[in-house]
Amino acid sequence: MDREFTIELQPLGRRIRAGAGQSVLATAQSVGVELQAVCGGVGTCGQCKVRCVSGNLTEPTLEEFEQLGEAGIRVGSRLACQAVPLSDVQMEIPAESLTSLQRVQIEGGGQCVPVDPVLPLQELVSRRPILGLAIDLGTTKLAGYLVDLESGRTIAASGRMNPQIVYGEDVISRIAFANKGEDGRRQLREKVIEALNALATELCIEAHISVDHIFEAVIAGNTAMHHFFLGLPVGQLGTAPYLPATVEPLYQSAEGLGLRLAPNAKVYTPPNIAGYVGGDHVAMLLGIDLNRRPQPTLMIDIGTNTELTLCADGRLFSCSCASGPAFEGAHIQQGMRAAPGAIERVRFEAGEIQYYTIDRQPPTGICGSGILDAIAALLDANLLDERGNFRKQASGLHAGKHDNEFVLAGPEQTESGSSIVLTRQDISEIQFAKAAIRAGIEVLLKLANLAGESLQSIVIAGAFGSYLDMRSAVRVGLFPDIPLERFRQVGNAAGLGARFVLASSTARREAEQIVERIQYVELTNHPAFHEQFVKALSF
Ligand code: FES
């Protein structure tokens, strides 16, 4: 066996090369991805359990049969210390097999939201406490909040990765998977229902209460996640004009959907705006009170798909941009999601490149905010030109395997002994992602007849947006060049909006009215989009 293969580790989003005959565990450890391995890799502790999603591995060993059982092996479970790739493989790492968990942004424990009961609370008082569950159902992450429906207080909050990620990192690949037939759709639905039940249980354990006290749930997701959750057809979301199966707010039985909550509990899903702007965006607009802002305000949630809404003169314009997964570290040679060891900040200090990693761990890769910082720093130091090419005299530059590479961390600084570099190809990936978003912004500004400088506020929601350095974002041209104090990073506003909608029938009506007011723009058809996109590719 002398071939090297690629191992894709999900949900971390890391792609690593396995040396000939090297186990999944050894390969993961060589790049600093720490799996539990109490027995040191001899196959007796069972802690390095992973699941093979696609590709071929060596036959299961006796140790694997012993630790995982035939049933486990049948569903793809393997021990990372025993399994050796025989082809490119995709592996799923359950959270319990990782020694450190990926950063999943959750905030809002203890926070209160206004109460205007949706449920007839007086009929339920003998079952106090009366709780509700609000979920922000993201493509990558799920955030869950347990809310006391009498006081509006959030009594527990938690997050986890969306387990559908093993069927595709972005919405488009999951839609393609679902379209393989009934089975694809069923698997996607089952995965998310299982995760939501586990999240509800985890929140109730944290609050020392039974799930039987959850009488109402609000699930706010983008349109595709909403459709996967409800088992609606998604084929039409994959082709123009990208029509949702429904945009209506829906109210359904939790039990009928497979959620284990109180008997007769109901689930509300806020209305969608369009095929790529869903109820989570509506929740976010509520969360930041966008429609009551008198000054021109732009609201952005950056992700693999980026949703934008511009509020100007009482009008609301929305669009969505296919920004791709580069900001989450995918398609970047040494990219990774925001997890311990990811380079998240890069600066030039006294002519030397300086970086900072999450949790100050030795560097194992670079995440989205680090990549934008690195590009901004290289531009400031005049080591990159406006088209994204390295200038020949750039110090720190060396000829890599395929292209020029800029060394961010030398081999002596990493545990794997390999440098962490930024390649010309990485820069191109970021150029495409930021150009898609910037072009979307410019099209909305044109519709509202506004110049970028007139924006009084740019509100950035979502996990990636929270860790972004605004100076770098403006420097690379992701956003219009307005004073930095006009930017606001608000974290998970969709999670807050979902809680508003959960606890208040007024907020629920408001959500429905927002959708009626919004003018949605399909960017792919818009005559100005292409020109703006090409313009925005430059730095
Ligand atoms: S490391 Fe103990 S079983 Fe794999």
Side-chain angles (χ1 to χ4, degrees):
M1 202 184 320
D2 52 5
R3 285 191 54 194
E4 286 196 347
F5 298 109
T6 298
I7 305 177
E8 185 180 319
L9 298 174
Q10 292 296 2
L12 294 179
R14 289 278 333 244
R15 287 172 185 75
I16 51 180
R17 296 295 290 171
Q22 202 175 24
S23 71
V24 174
L25 179 68
T27 313
Q29 287 173 334
S30 72
V31 296
V33 174
E34 293 298 341
L35 293 179
Q36 303 270 11
V38 170
C39 71
V42 295
T44 55
C45 71
Q47 291 196 342
C48 64
K49 187 172 135 186
V50 289
R51 195 173 76 82
C52 181
V53 179
S54 63
N56 300 318
L57 299 162
T58 45
E59 287 299 313
T61 62
L62 285 178
E63 286 79 4
E64 289 182 275
F65 276 105
E66 204 146 286
Q67 294 295 330
L68 304 168
E70 285 202 21
I73 302 274
R74 252 200 315 277
V75 296
S77 293
R78 299 296 302 264
L79 294 179
C81 64
Q82 304 290 302
V84 174
L86 297 175
S87 70
D88 290 347
V89 288
Q90 191 189 24
M91 309 297 298
E92 178 184 18
I93 311 178
E96 62 273 18
S97 297
L98 278 174
T99 55
S100 56
L101 293 178
Q102 182 170 347
R103 186 153 73 187
V104 178
Q105 184 194 26
I106 301 297
E107 70 267 304
Q111 227 171 30
C112 271
V113 293
V115 173
D116 170 13
V118 177
L119 293 172
L121 298 185
Q122 64 286 358
E123 292 173 20
L124 299 168
V125 284
S126 60
R127 299 189 64 178
R128 274 200 174 117
I130 304 160
L131 302 181
L133 176 70
I135 300 280
D136 170 21
L137 176 56
T139 310
T140 309
K141 295 164 193 167
L142 315 179
Y145 306 86
L146 199 57
V147 178
D148 181 324
L149 293 180
E150 290 184 281
S151 67
R153 199 169 72 86
T154 301
I155 56 173
S158 185
R160 56 180 55 209
M161 300 304 291
N162 184 334
Q164 292 176 336
I165 212 156
V166 295
Y167 300 117
E169 279 181 316
D170 53 36
V171 163
I172 300 289
S173 42
R174 273 181 234 174
I175 290 173
F177 180 81
N179 285 343
K180 284 185 186 152
E182 274 302 307
D183 213 41
R185 239 162 79 190
R186 183 185 56 75
Q187 285 180 56
L188 284 163
R189 197 173 116 66
E190 281 177 5
K191 272 275 177 196
V192 76
I193 296 286
E194 196 183 305
L196 291 174
N197 278 324
L199 188 53
T201 305
E202 182 192 329
L203 290 165
C204 285
I205 290 173
E206 192 186 325
H208 306 289
I209 215 143
S210 148
V211 288
D212 282 352
H213 287 269
I214 303 179
F215 291 93
E216 179 101 347
V218 166
I219 314 283
N222 62 48
T223 310
M225 293 306 118
H226 164 278
H227 282 31
F228 291 144
F229 166 66
L230 295 176
L232 295 172
V234 290
Q236 77 289 351
L237 290 178
T239 47
Y242 314 106
L243 294 177
T246 178
V247 290
E248 296 300 317
L250 297 173
Y251 207 51
Q252 302 191 33
S253 140
E255 193 185 355
L257 290 168
L259 291 180
R260 293 191 295 276
L261 308 176
N264 303 323
K266 292 279 189 295
V267 176
Y268 175 82
T269 44
N272 295 312
I273 296 169
Y276 282 89
V277 186
D280 58 343
H281 192 66
V282 179
M284 183 185 308
L285 297 180
L286 272 184
I288 63 158
D289 222 359
L290 180 76
N291 64 345
R292 291 202 189 92
R293 286 168 184 268
Q295 310 268 31
T297 300
L298 181 69
M299 214 316 294
I300 307 178
D301 182 17
I302 303 173
T304 50
N305 191 67
T306 294
E307 294 99 22
L308 303 169
T309 293
L310 174 64
C311 175
D313 296 328
R315 295 176 302 161
L316 296 172
F317 302 94
S318 280
C319 68
S320 99
C321 323
S323 39
F327 290 136
E328 298 199 345
H331 302 172
I332 299 294
Q333 184 164 297
Q334 280 161 303
M336 63 186 288
R337 294 203 178 93
I343 294 179
E344 62 169 345
R345 287 271 166 268
V346 178
R347 296 272 177 274
F348 263 106
E349 285 171 19
E352 294 285 321
I353 201 95
Q354 300 288 340
Y355 60 81
Y356 303 89
T357 61
I358 295 177
D359 290 350
R360 302 298 174 255
Q361 299 288 306
T364 53
I366 181 162
C367 65
S369 58
I371 299 163
L372 275 199
D373 266 12
I375 294 174
L378 291 170
L379 287 166
D380 281 344
N382 204 23
L383 299 179
L384 270 189
D385 68 20
E386 66 285 355
R387 290 195 312 203
N389 295 317
F390 289 113
R391 294 195 194 277
K392 291 272 179 287
Q393 78 284 9
S395 64
L397 195 65
H398 73 105
K401 265 190 202 156
H402 311 291
D403 207 337
N404 287 342
E405 302 173 341
F406 187 87
V407 180
L408 295 170
E412 68 292 347
Q413 296 162 8
T414 65
E415 282 188 345
S416 63
S418 312
S419 305
I420 293 178
V421 298
L422 187 73
T423 69
R424 176 65 184 90
Q425 181 57 33
D426 297 340
I427 294 168
S428 296
E429 295 285 344
I430 295 296
Q431 281 175 290
F432 282 109
K434 70 112 183 174
I437 296 172
R438 182 61 188 269
I441 295 173
E442 295 300 327
V443 168
L444 293 190
L445 287 169
K446 263 186 193 308
L447 282 169
N449 211 9
L450 282 180
E453 308 80 66
S454 4
L455 285 170
Q456 294 306 304
S457 176
I458 296 186
V459 184
I460 299 138
F464 171 66
S466 305
Y467 299 112
L468 204 54
D469 183 308
M470 285 306 136
R471 263 169 315 180
S472 298
V474 170
R475 178 66 184 89
V476 304
L478 178 59
F479 300 133
D481 190 358
I482 60 172
L484 293 179
E485 59 274 14
R486 293 195 204 163
F487 287 92
R488 266 187 63 213
Q489 289 158 287
V490 294
N492 190 356
L496 180 60
R499 280 175 282 163
F500 284 163
V501 167
L502 176 67
S504 157
S505 50
T506 309
R508 218 168 270 201
R509 273 198 306 278
E510 249 180 67
E512 292 163 16
Q513 284 160 1
I514 283 178
V515 174
E516 283 164 17
R517 284 178 51 206
I518 279 181
Q519 184 179 332
Y520 177 74
V521 190
E522 180 51 57
L523 282 185
T524 46
N525 299 335
H526 196 279
F529 178 73
H530 183 71
E531 184 195 337
Q532 293 297 336
F533 178 81
V534 172
K535 213 165 136 192
L537 282 170
S538 299
F539 291 117

